[in-house]
Amino acid sequence: MERKKSQKLFRKACELIPGGVNSPVRAFRAVGGNPVFIEKARGSKIYDVDGNTYIDYVLSWGPLILGHAHPKVVHGLMNAIQKGTSYGAPTRLENQLAELVLKAYPSMDKVRMVNSGTEATMSAIRVARGFTGRDKIIKFEGCYHGHADGLLVKAGSGATTFGVPDSPGVPKSSAKNTITLPLNDIKAVNSAIRNEWKNIACVIIEPVVGNIGCVLPKPGFLRSLRKITKEYGVILIFDEVMTGFRVAYGGAQQYYGITPDMTCLGKVIGGGLPVGAYGGKNEIMSMVSPEGPVYQAGTLSGNPLAMTAGIETLKILSKDGTYKKLEEIASLLEAGLTDAAKTAGVRTRFYRAGTMFCTFFTGTHVFDYPTAKTSDTAKFSRFFSAMLKRGMYIAPSQFEAGFISLAHSEKDIEKTVQAAYESFLETR
């Protein structure tokens, strides 16, 4: 595939934008080469400025569970945009999306709409601190909860890709209240909480980690986490920005049968537009201004375009048979990629939760940040390049999850598995 126009655009972007991109992992530095500039997308496909077509497993990093430019979402947005793009005032659309979210997540009595996953997590933590009167938080190595100062401590995602888990510019005064523990290590959690519970406001976790690849919780870990936090009055926050409506309609909390105190959402509930949300029980959410003293605001929060896209998306996802179809397609991909690697003689570990997945280039069982880092990133880079030239667009980092949508067909999966087999051989 020729990408001369993409290369030209990237050179120009580097003159205008730091690193030529508006989000670090897009730069392809972890895999070599220059990023692909996208012209348009529809269904399971994206099309670059040079006219190349790719089957997309990035899906705007997760939110496009219906696929690109779903007709009902597009139609809803066309109607909404003719009425105005933002009012800075309440609309019935906010009520409608809130009702859909609360019905799917009974752990929440109330939900506040924001503009991003970062806003959702930092706001939820602020509310947890206000509710408990405590300052410290616990997070886990490799979990990425957005780029708020106190959360960029041993974070995953781009921080892992670029080898900068602790970002310059984060004051020590912000980081000192963050306790970072090994993922899936309940002994470490129990010790930290029992020793410091009077100072710990909350534990925040991605119940399925999506920012060091796709890493699943060990059996019993989330249940034990729920038990110890409840025992000591520590707020348990599930960051379901990535897992929400992807692992199951009711997210990872439904899938694993765990009820957190607070939940953060994003990605899917915006149907591809910028949105986030956080919520919890009445007694916690009553702390949020203007009902309570914890301040949080946003001019574009609940804007009519994001609400419309979210409503249309959740209406489709809530239909009978939707997740059965998603599971069938995801299972086909899992079986195909696992078999392709084995047949090609390449050691990999494949993990999946609902429509999230990752292939690690390691023979080690991956269950935390250090085991994820055993992956052969050079081998992944070769695999990425081999897949890209065969028309497969996967995340340009070993440490990012992939995603599947309703728009992916069995034919797409067949092509992907064949491309993967050839790419594994080339990688080997």
Side-chain angles (χ1 to χ4, degrees), residues 61-84:
W61 303 96
L64 299 173
I65 194 169
L66 305 183
H68 292 277
H70 190 282
K72 289 194 175 180
V73 176
V74 171
H75 180 71
L77 286 171
M78 288 175 68
N79 288 336
I81 202 167
Q82 292 179 53
K83 300 177 182 179

Side-chain angles (χ1 to χ4, degrees), residues 207-376:
V208 175
V209 181
N211 290 287
I212 47 174
C214 181
V215 180
L216 310 181
K218 284 184 175 180
F221 175 71
L222 293 177
R223 194 164 299 281
S224 297
L225 185 61
R226 173 67 287 187
K227 182 180 178 181
I228 187 71
T229 51
K230 184 173 287 188
E231 181 180 349
Y232 286 91
V234 175
I235 301 296
L236 177 60
I237 303 174
F238 269 17
D239 176 355
E240 297 226 42
V241 168
M242 196 170 285
T243 57
F245 295 97
R246 272 210 165 274
V247 172
Y249 189 71
Q253 55 194 265
Q254 175 189 320
Y255 187 81
Y256 292 107
I258 308 295
T259 303
D261 298 302
M262 299 188 75
T263 300
C264 299
L265 295 169
K267 306 285 188 185
V268 173
I269 68 162
L273 273 70
V275 73
Y278 66 97
K281 294 299 181 186
N282 276 321
E283 59 268 27
I284 297 174
M285 294 303 289
S286 65
M287 296 293 296
V288 180
S289 179
E291 190 172 335
V294 177
Y295 193 75
Q296 178 271 311
T299 301
L300 292 174
S301 295
N303 74 82
L305 301 186
M307 298 299 98
T308 295
I311 290 165
E312 295 299 331
T313 298
L314 297 194
K315 281 181 179 178
I316 293 168
L317 290 179
S318 64
K319 291 181 178 178
D320 290 341
T322 298
Y323 282 84
K324 182 175 182 292
K325 181 180 178 182
L326 284 167
E327 178 62 25
E328 288 171 353
I329 292 294
S331 296
L332 279 176
L333 183 66
E334 177 179 2
L337 291 182
T338 302
D339 185 63
K342 184 178 180 181
T343 305
V346 177
R347 288 197 314 166
T348 63
R349 290 278 184 168
F350 187 94
Y351 295 92
R352 180 174 68 87
T355 56
M356 294 172 56
F357 69 92
C358 180
T359 298
F360 289 100
F361 281 78
T362 180
T364 301
H365 175 50
V366 177
F367 58 87
D368 60 9
Y369 184 78
T371 51
K373 293 285 283 182
T374 66
S375 297
D376 188 332

